[in-house]
């Protein structure tokens, strides 16, 4: 009998403290057995177990948000914060991060443009946030590293998976997306309404719950393995028991449900309409937060079960609850057909079964408890009390929550419009925005504003405007231009090899010692028992594509010019100009390129895509010359120059053009104007360049070189957001590249990015780059791949 008694959950304690809905819960790390709750009352509270292990005490209350707090998670302990940190997200668009014993935030993360409603932490200090602004953001310490953009509606749920670099987001667009190193890898479809919660079962499986009242179990490959039904309304949260596949869910049907072996084993009703959140403690106890502002803990342990008086008080409270038939939690109710009290003499058939009876004209709801073998009253069914519309902010409009959503008919015959409104909003501003959005006559302003005020009975809260700060430049940003100017000559430049002719320099360059040349492979590599020196990174200068055969290029240009249409045809004079430009930029003549020559080149690179490649090749060689670099990359026409190059990177276009456009971009890095332009247009260039990842070996080498040149610039200015973007591209390209020269350049880029930067090291680990590159440490030929890889792994 003890066993069966112990297997049902009963009330352990009810914790009063919050003044409004409890919206989020998470297990704490310190003190052990603790948990944190967050609420619409704008606070977060840390609860620790009593010494007698009977209940919990509020350790302290944390404030830092200027609006509702909607989610919470723990950032695991680090050397700096051995007790971990507490992160909370709110309707003020901010994330506050607290130490375990402070009531004010350690720092505030700004960057989202709407409510932050979900948080998840990973290894190495990373934090993932989901917001109603339809994006998720990855943060490292106090900086935003990357923004995940692909959902078309609010992101309600986020989780970092155990395997490094993998993240999940669940959205009001009804889909779940799997992200790897910041890029969407897969979309899971199946839910028929907003996805509200996610929970991780293993490296390969996870659960999701949604407003369609179902829970789904998924395999990471995209397959839905199982669907669980039981709830009768929105499911808001889901939490997994430690070390097994059983789980708990809570929702808008006033219930907490415990699922074992794929079936609902127990249903616990609460005296509150919305049971917003739950978490499972290490000892198996379940904590739930609801719209009545009370945190309740349920336990299977007889020692920790509440006293008979407390359980009676809880049942009394439950029996007095009013259940609104409109919510549909109890199915369609027809009061006239209901049986009387004698109906309760028959035992129920399963736990959580509900039965309605009519007694003296009142409709009462009861629920069967298997463990106690009796019907427990769970409330009175009342007429339409409008309870769903209270202040719980549960009305969804376009995937976001509002306190009210009004239907407004502007004129008899026309359509009706939805007007979402929160009591924290300004009625006039809301009315104004509503009229703007729906293109309605501004003369309705007074009428609409008055309608809002009449229908919300003047419920307003003073809202403090949240300050916006630029998420990219917060205090203490490293200022470009302050990098150290000492560039030492390495033993051998692994990129260029002995005796390369450097444009614009005298020919007194020192040839590398010892016949070691990792890039051009000249001279045998003697593996002596000397400590190998890291000559690979951090790389200080851009790597360029210099190989030139002017005669061949001009020959091809003339041949294709013959077949060009009249509007594109170049005259003899034009061709001579380009010939002079080539000799000026390939150092065979001492002349400086003229404006006229550059004008001709501009015309040539605008040729149709099937004949433009020789012109692009001339551009590749010319752009290394300071005059040409400045002409194409400086303020005046640089945007159209970049737009033109990005057009050639289209994966559907010709591979020759993709290759040459990438090489032009690489060569732009030789001079200051080019570097400045490449850095300004970094987002667009990287996003478009990644599209060429399915190209051939030469394209891969050019793409790797582009990342390397970005790494050189980013290392100088120490821009962590830029590094994050570059690391994400490197990680994505590593997956598809086979060619070892391209791999080598990606490794040098990686080494350069993470040299002298602990944040970049942590980020690389959290993206799982270390496990991605391990295999290259055993490459025998060329030796430079193995060596460079080992140097990178030493940093990781």
């Amino acid at each position: 009998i003890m066993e069966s008694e112990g297997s049902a959950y009963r009330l352990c304690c009810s914790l009063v403290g919050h003044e409004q809905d409890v919206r989020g819960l998470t297990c704490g790390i310190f003190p052990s057995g603790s948990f944190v709750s967050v609420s619409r009352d704008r606070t977060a509270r840390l609860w620790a177990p009593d010494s007698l292990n009977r209940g919990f005490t509020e350790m302290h209350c944390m404030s830092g948000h200027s609006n509702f707090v909607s989610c919470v998670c723990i950032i695991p302990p680090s050397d700096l914060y051995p007790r971990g940190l507490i992160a909370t997200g709110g309707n003020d668009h901010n994330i506050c991060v607290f130490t375990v014993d402070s009531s004010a935030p350690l720092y505030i993360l700004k960057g989202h443009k709407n409510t932050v409603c979900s948080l998840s932490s990973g290894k190495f200090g990373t934090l993932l946030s989901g917001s109603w602004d339809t994006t998720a953001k990855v943060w490292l310490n106090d900086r935003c590293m990357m923004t995940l953009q692909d959902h078309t509606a609010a992101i309600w749920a986020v989780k970092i998976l155990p395997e490094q670099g993998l993240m999940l987001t669940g959205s009001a667009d009804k889909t779940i997306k799997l992200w790897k190193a910041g890029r969407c890898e897969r979309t899971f479809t199946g839910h028929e309404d907003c996805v509200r919660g996610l929970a991780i079962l293993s490296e390969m499986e996870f659960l999701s719950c949604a407003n369609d009242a179902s829970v789904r179990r998924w395999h990471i490959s995209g397959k839905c393995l199982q669907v669980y039904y039981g709830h009768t309304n929105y499911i808001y949260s889901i939490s997994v028991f430690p070390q097994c596949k059983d789980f708990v869910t809570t929702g808008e049907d006033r219930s907490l449900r415990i699922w074992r072996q794929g079936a609902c084993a127990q249903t616990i009703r609460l005296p509150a309409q919305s049971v917003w959140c739950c978490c499972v403690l290490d000892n198996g106890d379940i904590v739930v937060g609801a719209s009545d502002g009370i945190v309740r803990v349920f336990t299977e342990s007889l020692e920790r079960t509440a006293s008979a008086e407390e359980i009676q008080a809880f049942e009394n409270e439950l029996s007095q609850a009013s259940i609104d038939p409109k919510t549909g939690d109890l199915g369609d109710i027809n009061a006239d057909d209901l049986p009387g009290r004698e109906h309760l003499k028959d035992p129920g058939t399963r736990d959580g079964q509900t039965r309605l009876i009519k007694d003296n004209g009142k409709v009462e709801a009861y629920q069967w408890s298997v463990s106690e073998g009796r019907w427990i009253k769970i409330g009175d069914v009342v007429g339409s009390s409008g309870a769903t519309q209270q202040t719980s902010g549960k009305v969804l409009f376009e995937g976001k929550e509002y306190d009210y959503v009004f239907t407004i008919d502007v004129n008899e015959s026309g359509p009706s419009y939805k007007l979402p409104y929160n009591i924290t909003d300004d009625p006039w501003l809301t009315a104004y925005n509503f009229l703007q959005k729906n293109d309605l006559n501004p003369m309705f302003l007074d009428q609409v504003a008055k309608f809002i005020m009449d229908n919300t009975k003047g419920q307003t809260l003073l809202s403090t405007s949240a300050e916006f700060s630029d998420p990219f430049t917060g205090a203490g940003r490293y200022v470009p231009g302050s990098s150290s100017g000492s560039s030492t000559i390495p033993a051998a430049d692994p990129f260029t090899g002995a005796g390369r002719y450097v444009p614009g320099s005298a020919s007194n360059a020192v040839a590398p010692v010892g016949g070691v040349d990792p890039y051009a492979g000249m001279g045998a590599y003697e593996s002596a028992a000397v400590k190998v020196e890291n000559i690979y990174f951090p790389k200080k200068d851009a790597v360029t594509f210099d190989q030139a055969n002017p005669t061949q290029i001009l020959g091809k240009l003339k041949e294709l010019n013959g077949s060009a249409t009249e509007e594109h045809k170049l005259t003899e004079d034009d061709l001579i100009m380009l010939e002079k430009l080539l000799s000026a930029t390939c150092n065979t003549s001492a002349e400086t390129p003229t404006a006229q020559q550059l004008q001709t080149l501009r015309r040539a690179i605008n040729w149709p895509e099937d004949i433009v490649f020789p012109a692009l090749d001339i551009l590749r060689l010319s752009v290394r010359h300071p005059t040409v670099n400045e002409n194409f990359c400086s303020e005046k026409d640089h945007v159209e120059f970049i737009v033109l190059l990005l057009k050639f990177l289209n994966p559907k276009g010709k591979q020759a053009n993709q290759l040459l456009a990438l090489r032009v971009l690489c060569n732009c890095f030789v001079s200051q104007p080019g570097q400045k332009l490449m850095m300004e247009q970094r987002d667009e260039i990287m996003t478009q360049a990644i599209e060429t990842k399915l190209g051939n070996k030469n394209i891969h080498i050019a793409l790797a070189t582009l990342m390397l040149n970005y790494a050189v610039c980013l290392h100088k200015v120490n821009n962590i957001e830029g590094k994050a973007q570059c690391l994400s591209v490197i990680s994505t390209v590593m997956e598809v590249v086979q060619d070892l020269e391209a791999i080598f350049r990606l490794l040098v880029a990686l080494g350069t990015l993470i040299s002298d930067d602990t944040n970049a090291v942590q980020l690389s680990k959290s993206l799982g780059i270390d496990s991605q590159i391990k295999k290259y440490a055993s490459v025998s030929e060329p030796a430079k791949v193995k060596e460079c890889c080992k140097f990178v792994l030493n940093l990781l």
Side-chain angles (χ1 to χ4, degrees):
I1 289 185
M2 281 295 285
E3 289 257 304
S4 68
E5 280 194 3
S7 65
Y9 275 86
R10 288 198 183 75
L11 184 70
C12 159
C13 57
S14 300
L15 306 172
V16 180
H18 285 295
E19 292 155 31
Q20 290 187 49
D21 303 48
V22 176
R23 289 300 302 256
L25 285 165
T26 189
C27 298
I29 290 176
F30 181 88
S32 92
S34 64
F35 63 87
V36 183
S37 59
V38 297
S39 160
R40 284 173 66 104
D41 67 11
R42 306 182 182 196
T43 68
R45 293 167 201 248
L46 173 63
W47 305 84
D50 289 348
S51 50
L52 296 168
N53 218 354
R54 278 282 168 167
F56 290 80
T57 310
E58 184 184 314
M59 297 271 289
H60 71 270
C61 179
M62 293 157 271
S63 315
H65 289 280
S66 59
N67 206 328
F68 311 150
V69 192
S70 40
C71 56
V72 58
C73 87
I74 299 286
I75 298 173
S78 62
D79 295 345
L80 200 51
Y81 301 106
R83 294 174 169 185
L85 295 168
I86 296 166
T88 59
N91 284 43
D92 57 4
H93 313 175
N94 293 343
I95 298 163
C96 291
V97 178
F98 300 87
T99 56
V100 181
D101 37 25
S102 152
S103 55
L106 179 65
Y107 50 82
I108 296 179
L109 305 177
K110 294 172 182 265
H112 278 296
K113 297 183 174 62
N114 208 324
T115 296
V116 178
C117 57
S118 182
L119 290 167
S120 173
S121 61
K123 294 179 186 159
F124 314 110
T126 46
L127 180 68
L128 175 63
S129 59
S131 163
W132 291 357
D133 66 12
T134 77
T135 73
K137 288 181 183 288
V138 182
W139 309 80
L140 180 65
N141 305 325
D142 54 352
R143 309 289 285 277
C144 176
M145 294 292 148
M146 42 182 79
T147 300
L148 312 184
Q149 289 173 296
D150 209 20
H151 282 292
T152 54
I155 293 180
W156 275 104
V158 296
K159 273 281 183 273
I160 295 183
L161 280 156
E163 191 191 324
Q164 287 164 15
L166 294 183
M167 298 175 177
L168 289 170
T169 53
S171 163
D173 64 14
K174 306 177 190 173
T175 71
I176 298 161
K177 289 181 186 287
L178 173 71
W179 305 78
K180 179 158 191 183
R183 298 181 182 279
C184 181
E185 286 263 307
R186 184 166 295 120
T187 300
F188 301 78
T189 52
H191 278 297
E192 289 158 32
D193 204 341
C194 295
V195 178
R196 295 297 288 260
L198 292 165
I200 307 297
L201 288 170
S202 67
E203 287 204 356
M204 302 314 285
E205 290 185 17
F206 65 92
L207 297 164
S208 61
C209 65
N211 281 1
D212 60 12
S214 77
V215 171
R216 285 173 177 261
R217 182 162 64 91
W218 305 87
H219 190 273
I220 216 103
S221 62
K223 194 170 172 223
C224 179
L225 303 173
Q226 201 171 353
V227 185
Y228 308 87
Y229 296 104
H231 280 279
T232 55
N233 207 326
Y234 299 167
I235 306 177
Y236 292 134
S237 84
I238 182 162
S239 186
V240 177
F241 283 103
Q243 280 85 48
C244 71
K245 291 200 169 183
D246 295 338
F247 57 93
V248 295
T249 51
T250 64
E252 181 63 11
D253 57 7
R254 321 163 69 94
S255 75
L256 152 72
R257 290 174 196 249
I258 294 143
W259 303 77
R260 301 211 187 266
Q261 277 104 45
C264 180
Q266 191 184 355
T267 302
I268 297 175
R269 301 267 168 182
L270 283 102
Q273 181 65 52
S274 313
V275 190
W276 289 117
C277 50
C278 60
C279 72
V280 181
L281 301 176
D282 288 341
N283 61 9
D285 288 0
I286 301 167
V287 188
V288 295
S291 52
D292 58 2
I294 296 174
V295 173
R296 293 181 177 84
V297 184
F298 293 89
T299 185
E300 279 185 299
S301 143
L302 296 175
E303 291 81 73
R304 292 196 295 275
T305 303
S307 66
E309 297 80 43
E310 287 171 279
I311 289 185
Q312 193 54 57
F314 173 66
E315 286 186 12
N316 292 347
E317 197 185 349
L318 192 58
S319 69
Q320 287 155 18
S322 348
I323 299 173
D324 178 2
K326 283 217 309 284
T327 60
D329 298 344
L330 301 167
D332 293 327
I333 299 169
N334 185 348
D336 301 337
D337 305 344
L338 293 175
R341 185 165 291 286
E342 69 285 349
H343 190 44
L344 298 178
K345 291 200 177 77
D346 307 334
T349 52
R350 60 180 174 80
D351 194 82
Q353 177 186 0
T354 51
R355 194 164 272 186
L356 300 175
I357 61 150
K358 196 170 172 186
D359 192 34
N360 294 332
K362 261 190 0 185
V363 177
E364 297 179 357
Y366 285 80
Q367 170 179 309
W368 181 250
S369 163
V370 169
S371 59
E372 303 190 20
R374 63 187 178 102
W375 291 99
I376 297 174
K377 184 179 175 195
I378 57 169
D380 295 307
V381 180
V382 294
S384 139
S385 66
T388 53
Q389 197 60 284
Q390 273 164 336
T391 50
S392 294
K394 287 187 292 287
V395 200
L396 284 181
F397 176 66
E398 293 176 349
K400 298 180 192 146
E401 282 183 348
Y402 293 92
D403 292 324
Y404 297 90
V405 175
F406 299 114
T407 304
I408 303 226
D409 298 301
V410 181
N411 54 29
E412 306 295 295
S413 56
S416 58
Y417 299 93
K418 293 283 187 218
L419 168 68
Y421 177 74
N422 284 317
I423 53 177
T424 48
D425 295 344
D426 175 309
W428 296 94
L429 186 62
T430 305
Y432 173 77
N433 289 338
F434 164 76
L435 295 172
Q436 289 280 79
K437 179 183 173 180
N438 295 300
D439 254 350
L440 299 170
N441 192 328
M443 67 179 230
F444 288 119
L445 184 66
D446 288 1
Q447 225 175 316
V448 175
K450 187 174 179 316
F451 173 87
I452 293 173
M453 290 185 281
D454 291 348
N455 284 283
T456 53
K457 307 181 192 49
Q459 280 189 319
T460 52
L461 295 173
L462 282 171
S463 65
T464 51
S465 72
E467 299 165 57
F468 282 99
S469 80
D470 177 347
F472 289 104
T473 56
R477 185 174 71 111
Y478 194 90
V479 182
S482 59
S483 65
S484 74
S486 68
S487 82
T488 52
I489 298 170
D493 176 351
F495 280 83
T496 51
R500 180 181 73 114
Y501 197 90
V502 182
S505 77
S507 60
N508 57 1
V510 187
V513 191
V516 181
D517 171 29
Y519 276 77
M522 297 172 191
Y525 189 86
E526 295 126 48
S527 68
V530 287
K531 183 179 182 301
V532 182
E533 189 196 347
N534 182 359
I535 55 171
Y536 305 107
F537 63 82
K539 190 100 183 76
K540 295 285 199 294
D541 305 298
V543 174
T544 50
F545 288 91
D546 304 312
Q547 191 197 352
N549 187 334
T551 330
Q552 223 177 348
I553 297 172
L554 287 163
K556 195 69 187 165
L557 186 76
K558 286 175 182 159
E559 177 197 323
L560 292 170
N561 190 44
S563 64
T565 56
E566 284 312 307
E567 58 166 329
H568 292 120
K569 233 187 200 55
L570 299 172
T571 64
E572 269 310 304
D573 285 356
D574 291 337
L575 292 168
I576 293 167
M577 293 259 188
L578 292 177
E579 189 167 358
K580 283 189 169 155
L581 175 62
L582 260 181
S583 64
T585 53
C586 292
N587 266 69
T588 42
S589 79
E591 292 174 29
T592 302
T594 65
Q596 231 176 340
Q597 291 167 2
L598 297 181
Q599 213 36 57
T600 311
L601 179 58
R602 277 181 192 276
R603 277 178 35 221
I605 60 174
N606 279 289
W607 269 8
E609 66 166 347
D610 45 339
I611 61 170
V612 73
F613 66 93
L616 284 177
D617 218 7
I618 297 175
L619 175 64
R620 161 184 75 91
L621 291 162
S622 312
V623 82
R624 298 169 308 161
H625 192 289
T627 312
V628 185
N629 196 287
E630 181 155 7
N631 185 290
F632 278 92
C633 300
S634 64
E635 299 304 311
K636 203 159 59 77
D637 310 308
H638 67 261
V639 178
E640 58 211 69
F641 174 56
I642 290 296
V643 169
L644 177 74
L645 289 176
L646 295 186
K647 188 184 77 188
F648 291 127
L649 292 183
N650 184 340
K652 295 193 180 70
K654 285 177 78 77
Q655 286 212 324
N657 295 345
Q658 292 174 39
L659 174 65
L660 290 164
L662 286 169
R663 287 179 172 179
V664 171
L665 290 167
C666 291
N667 287 3
C668 282
F669 280 91
V670 297
S671 290
Q672 189 55 41
Q675 287 175 20
K676 185 166 180 281
L677 175 61
M678 294 293 107
M679 291 298 275
E680 278 170 9
Q681 305 291 318
R682 191 185 75 228
D683 262 2
E684 288 73 11
I685 293 172
M686 287 207 195
T687 306
Q688 198 53 53
I690 193 95
E691 296 295 318
T692 64
K693 69 178 184 184
L694 300 174
N696 59 31
K697 153 185 160 171
N698 287 332
I699 287 177
H700 284 165
I701 292 174
L703 182 55
T705 309
L706 181 62
M707 288 310 117
L708 174 51
N709 288 350
Y710 267 117
V712 170
C713 279
L714 290 162
H715 178 68
K716 284 184 188 139
V717 297
N718 193 14
N719 168 331
I720 191 69
E721 291 82 14
K723 286 184 177 182
Q725 189 179 21
C726 203
L727 286 169
S728 167
V729 175
I730 290 171
S731 170
T732 309
V733 175
M734 279 273 185
E735 298 278 292
V736 292
V737 170
Q738 304 284 308
D739 180 76
L740 290 174
E741 181 58 37
I743 291 290
F744 172 64
R745 294 185 182 204
L746 289 170
L747 289 169
V748 176
L750 194 52
T752 302
L753 285 171
I754 65 178
S755 288
D756 320 313
D757 186 344
T758 50
N759 276 340
V761 169
Q762 280 183 290
L763 186 64
S764 304
K765 285 187 189 166
S766 68
L767 292 175
I769 292 177
D770 47 347
S771 51
Q772 235 182 339
I773 64 171
K774 281 201 175 82
K775 58 181 174 194
Y776 299 113
S778 52
V779 168
S780 50
E781 283 294 315
K784 63 181 184 181
V785 173
K786 173 171 70 180
E787 281 183 9
C788 186
C789 182
K790 285 180 177 166
F791 283 121
V792 176
L793 288 171
N794 285 346
L795 289 181
L796 294 171

